[in-house]
Amino acid sequence: MIRKSTFLSFPLILLQLILIFAPAGASGASQLLRPTDLRCEYRTDPLGIGTPHPRLSWVVPLDKRGEKQTAYRVIAAASPDVLNQERSDLWDSGKVLSGRSIQNAYKGKPLVSRARCYWKVRVWNSEGKPSAWSNPASWSMGLLHPEDWKARWIGYDAAYHPSEAVVRENALFTTQGLKWVRFPAGQAKAGVYSAYLRKRFELPSDRKVVRAVFALYADNRCEAAVNDSTIGQAARWEKTARLEAGSVLHVGVNVASLAVTNTDA
């Protein structure tokens, strides 16, 4: 009976020792407050920030109930080498007594367009103990002033400033004033129909064709051919299609044909 009683006492003693030693491990809790998830303007290592005072934020992992950030310090540098030495050549916030870990605006040296900024943060817990420094993060500045833009717009600018030759060509190859050639009413299928148009014309032997162009709209697709040779397609009615046909014409009778399809519902 004595042995049995002694045997049962061991779990009670061991359980009591665990309860005693567990709080002792909290003495290093400040090391668990190392900030993570550093962000600038709510993004991780963003590029092309357009504000001169970006807002910085971080997450503080809490290892026990009631723990909190009571202060922070942010350092920022123009190169990772300087930052790795825990030095700053752009900004050192100093120890700021605040529990705020979001929307902390950069207040260092003025940042110029295209500049790169590297930063990290440490915090203090409710016992006034500092954490380790966070891993470094970074952001880059965009173009802050109109004069910093050196590139040109990518686009078809000639459409807005046509040359005299283009103006003359637009006037010649125009569909203005022409009427639509429509599929007979009542014969179109629901949403899909096709039409085939053919036109015979004759070129005199005493004239030389310098250039021949089909100018047409299509709703919504048309394939054009001359003398059974396809010369191209027109799609959509918003823009005039111009299809070169001079190479397939010959003296005498020629046949132009159009195959039109509408697949719009």
Side-chain angles (χ1 to χ4, degrees), residues 72-115:
Y72 68 85
R73 179 187 175 191
V74 175
I75 58 174
S79 73
D81 292 336
V82 173
L83 191 71
N84 289 339
Q85 299 173 32
E86 296 184 7
R87 296 190 296 112
S88 60
D89 53 12
L90 291 178
W91 182 42
D92 186 339
S93 70
K95 184 177 179 180
V96 180
L97 299 178
S98 172
R100 185 169 181 166
S101 61
I102 62 172
Q103 296 186 339
N104 291 305
Y106 170 84
K107 298 179 181 179
K109 294 181 180 179
L111 299 174
V112 299
S113 295
R114 303 182 181 88

